[in-house]
């Protein structure tokens, strides 16, 4: 283990659902599919209002490689396609489907033909599977990188370092055979016979034990127990803490011979290659002080937060704040009508007492956010940029402050004694900077 580890925060684990095997949610009456559920371009709807659809049927096709197709999670009727306000403040077309409650499976579902790296990449793209740890990066694009770079190490990310979330842990405990098959699949088709390292935090001893047992006879696979320091699961942090390699600013991990894949993503790729059912549901941890019975739920993608909460037993008090995702990197939602999307690993509903504890006040210039940042950024400079009136000056300062390197881990927001919404502001500013640069480059 390296002397100086990245990731500095010891945060409460709050993993009260760690022993809860996921329960499968019934079909809700309506599901909503925003066409942007991944990094990259929104998908393009291929259905229209009044069309009937079945489970696993394509409803929005990928707009190129840096996009991902979307499939219906229920059978029923498309009611409308309207605009959805995303967490980055932009609006995307969104497909609404009324469920018939029957969950009739589309007759086109069949396992893909996979016989080499190209067909594996095609299959992963077609499956709609993206980085399910929250990053949402199209997994097929990640694999494309191995064609031009020598791959030496695949790190399987089982860190699941955010408080509350336990879906990855459950995947390791409940479906080790899928994880084994996923590794076998990659070993069969990746060109450079890499080694595999599972990075798992030490607060999940059963997961470490299970994965180590499954691969006990395979010398190319090892398990590295990692200290529970946040944000252990952030890609660059994980690479440094497992291999001691720093990924420079303008390089991708694959250029250094490394690929990181989330453990649930790996397992679901193996499942898709076996049964051909694309990504239509996912595990979501429902927890928080307002939740009556915290549990893990297999949720049809597109189900509304309200319906998930109701299915799981409801609330014990009013939820003053609901977070989609984990409490560190997730987004607060204004309405419980918001849908679960492909990257939603958690729904955290907080009581008034806990939500009010987060009330924001003015910055006291303590510097804790800068100290906590695993990317060695200075979040206060983003705050200074936000106050500038001149757009060019604002964008220049954001760029100079290297806001693009922010991995959106939320450590800065967590340590801030003034409870400043630093991460929310960063996300908005990153989106503005992207648009500004695209505009300047004449792309828009
Ligand atoms: S600035 Fe970004 S990378 Fe640094 S602590 Fe904040 S969210 Fe994490
Ligand atoms: S941690 Fe909060 S209060 Fe302290 S400098 Fe950063 S933004 Fe200001």
């Amino acid at each position: 283990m390296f002397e100086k580890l990245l990731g500095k925060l010891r945060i409460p684990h709050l993993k009260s659902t760690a022993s809860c095997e996921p329960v499968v949610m019934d079909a809700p009456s309506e599901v909503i599919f925003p066409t942007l559920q991944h990094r990259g371009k929104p998908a393009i709807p291929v259905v229209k209002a009044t069309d009937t659809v079945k489970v696993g049927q394509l409803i929005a096709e990928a707009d190129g490689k840096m996009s991902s197709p979307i499939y219906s999670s229920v059978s029923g009727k498309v009611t409308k396609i309207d605009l959805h306000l995303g967490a980055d403040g932009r609006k995307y077309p969104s497909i609404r489907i009324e469920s018939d409650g029957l969950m009739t499976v589309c007759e086109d579902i069949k396992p893909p033909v996979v016989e080499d790296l190209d067909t594996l990449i095609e299959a992963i793209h077609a499956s709609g599977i993206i980085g399910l740890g929250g990053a949402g990066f199209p997994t097929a694009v990640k694999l494309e990188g191995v064609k031009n770079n020598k791959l030496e190490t695949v790190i399987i990310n089982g860190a699941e370092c955010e408080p509350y979330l336990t879906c990855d842990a459950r995947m390791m405990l409940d479906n080790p055979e899928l994880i084994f098959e996923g590794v076998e699949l990659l070993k069969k088709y990746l060109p450079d016979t890499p080694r595999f390292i599972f990075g798992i935090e030490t607060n999940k001893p059963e997961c470490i034990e299970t994965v180590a047992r499954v691969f006990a006879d395979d010398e190319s696979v090892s398990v590295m127990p990692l200290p529970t320091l946040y944000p252990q699961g952030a890609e660059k942090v994980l690479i440094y803490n497992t291999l001691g390699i720093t990924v420079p600013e303008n390089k991708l991990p694959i250029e250094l011979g490394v690929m990181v894949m989330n453990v649930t993503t790996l397992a679901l790729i193996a499942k898709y290659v076996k049964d051909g059912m694309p990504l239509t549901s996912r595990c979501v941890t429902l927890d928080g002080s307002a939740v009556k019975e915290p549990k893990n739920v297999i949720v049809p993608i597109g189900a509304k937060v309200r319906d998930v909460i109701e299915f799981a037993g409801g609330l014990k008090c009013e939820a003053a704040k609901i977070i989609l995702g984990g409490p560190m990197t997730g987004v607060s939602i204004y309405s419980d009508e918001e849908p679960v999307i492909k990257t939603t690993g958690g729904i955290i509903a907080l009581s008034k007492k806990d939500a009010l504890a987060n009330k924001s006040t003015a910055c006291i210039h303590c510097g804790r956010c800068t100290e906590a940042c695993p990317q060695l950024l200075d979040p206060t400079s983003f705050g200074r940029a936000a106050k500038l009136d001149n757009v060019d000056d604002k964008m220049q300062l954001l760029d100079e402050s290297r806001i693009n390197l922010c991995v959106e881990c939320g450590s800065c927001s967590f340590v801030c004694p003034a409870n400043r919404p630093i991460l929310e502001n960063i996300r908005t500013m990153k989106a503005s900077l992207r648009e500004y640069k695209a505009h300047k480059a004449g792309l828009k």
Side-chain angles (χ1 to χ4, degrees), residues 279-329:
L279 185 65
T280 57
S281 62
R282 68 154 298 149
C283 179
V284 175
T285 299
L286 175 67
D287 206 338
S289 49
V291 173
K292 205 187 275 177
E293 297 165 27
K295 50 172 72 84
N296 287 314
V297 186
I298 303 291
V299 176
I301 289 170
K304 294 174 198 165
V305 165
R306 186 191 59 203
D307 292 335
V308 180
I309 291 173
E310 263 174 34
F311 166 79
L315 299 173
K316 59 185 175 196
C317 61
E318 191 195 337
K321 184 175 185 177
I322 300 180
I323 302 165
L324 214 48
M328 301 294 285
T329 62

Side-chain angles (χ1 to χ4, degrees), residues 369 372-375 377 379 382 405-412 423 426:
C369 50
C373 179
Q375 290 291 88
L377 302 174
F382 310 147
L405 292 186
C406 169
V407 295
E408 301 184 17
C409 67
S411 298
C412 47
L423 178 56
I426 286 175

Side-chain angles (χ1 to χ4, degrees), residues 209-221:
E209 202 184 298
T210 303
V211 175
R213 193 176 59 242
V214 167
F215 291 101
D217 297 329
D218 189 339
E219 283 185 359
S220 66
V221 183

Side-chain angles (χ1 to χ4, degrees), residues 362-370 380 412 415-418 420 422:
C363 171
I364 56 167
H365 308 289
C366 65
R368 285 185 207 174
C369 50
T370 308
T380 61
C412 47
V415 296
C416 178
R420 309 285 307 154
I422 309 174

Side-chain angles (χ1 to χ4, degrees), residues 41 120 149 156 169 172 196 216 267 278 291 323 331 352 373 381 388 435:
K41 288 170 147 183
L120 176 64
N149 298 277
I156 306 299
M172 288 184 266
F196 289 78
V291 173
I323 302 165
V331 286
K352 204 169 176 183
C373 179
S381 61
L388 296 175
E435 283 190 6

